[in-house]
Amino acid sequence: TLYTVYSKPEAVVEQAGVYLAKNDGVRVQPAHNGEVKTIEVIRAVPVMIVYGEREIPLLTGKATVREAVEAAGLTADPASIFPVSETRPVSGMRIHVLAAGETFEPVEAPVAFRVEKRPDNHLERGEEQVLRAGEEGRVRYLVKRGPYGQETLNETIVAEPVPELVATGMANVVETSRGAQRFELRLAPAGRPVA
């Protein structure tokens, strides 16, 4: 907490002994109900702005993706920016801004379910029985399409796949002159079969 006569946030931050690098930013959050104002220091991070065929590297200390896009000299409707325009930029982020002829399109696709096998001594060896049918999941992709190609920007699982449960027979059966006979193989302590 600091008492100050300065009105510029940068001067207040300097008074507090915090060093601001060239591209670092500050954000002032207004006071509510008599509380003190909060000044947030935003350290600059490297991002890449993708606009059409161009990739614009930017070191930004802006608080939102929208502000970073504006700092790069681009004007864009929030609906034509990905990630969402109010997202905080993070190091290495790729920020996509739609150019002429480009669109963001949501695409859904199925996700295959896996099969889980469980041993069952009541079923004959090699026999299988489905205990629960599997169900495909659904995944939603956001795809950027346009004259410069297409790129998948993110994916969100809409519905998790449900694994299929299959009982696999483990019972041992031998065909004899008296018909099918079930047997169990046990090992003696020395490792030899016991009759």
Side-chain angles (χ1 to χ4, degrees):
T1 303
L2 185 70
Y3 293 94
T4 185
V5 294
Y6 298 114
S7 58
K8 289 185 72 175
E10 293 81 4
V12 176
V13 168
E14 185 178 327
Q15 179 187 353
V18 177
Y19 171 76
L20 288 177
K22 180 183 175 190
N23 292 303
D24 289 344
V26 292
R27 182 183 211 182
V28 179
Q29 296 175 357
H32 296 290
N33 302 328
E35 296 176 1
V36 295
K37 285 185 180 180
T38 301
I39 299 176
E40 178 185 7
V41 174
I42 303 167
R43 296 296 182 193
V45 294
V47 297
M48 184 68 71
I49 297 179
V50 181
Y51 179 70
E53 289 185 294
R54 293 173 45 204
E55 290 193 348
I56 307 163
L58 183 69
L59 188 61
T60 182
K62 298 298 183 183
T64 66
V65 165
R66 178 183 46 79
E67 291 171 1
V69 167
E70 290 169 357
L74 300 172
T75 54
D77 174 33
S80 65
I81 299 173
F82 179 84
V84 176
S85 63
E86 295 307 309
T87 304
R88 174 69 59 102
V90 295
S91 181
M93 178 182 274
R94 289 176 63 83
I95 300 169
H96 295 265
V97 180
L98 294 180
E102 292 184 318
T103 59
F104 292 138
E105 295 178 22
V107 176
E108 277 201 19
V111 177
F113 59 83
R114 68 181 190 282
V115 177
E116 293 180 4
K117 295 193 175 190
R118 296 190 177 166
D120 188 325
N121 289 325
H122 297 95
L123 295 176
E124 304 301 328
R125 185 172 291 280
E127 197 178 327
E128 291 187 338
Q129 180 181 5
V130 175
L131 302 175
R132 179 182 70 203
E135 293 178 26
E136 286 185 335
R138 300 292 300 168
V139 64
R140 181 178 297 130
Y141 299 99
L142 182 64
V143 178
K144 182 170 88 171
R145 290 195 172 120
Y148 313 107
Q150 76 175 35
E151 184 177 350
T152 300
L153 304 180
N154 84 333
E155 66 178 66
T156 306
I157 298 292
V158 177
E160 290 284 348
V162 176
E164 183 169 278
L165 294 180
V166 176
T168 303
M170 299 300 288
N172 294 306
V173 174
V174 173
E175 288 294 330
T176 67
S177 60
R178 287 181 254 155
Q181 299 292 316
R182 190 178 298 248
F183 72 92
E184 180 180 334
L185 185 63
R186 289 180 280 158
L187 295 179
R192 284 174 281 172
V194 174

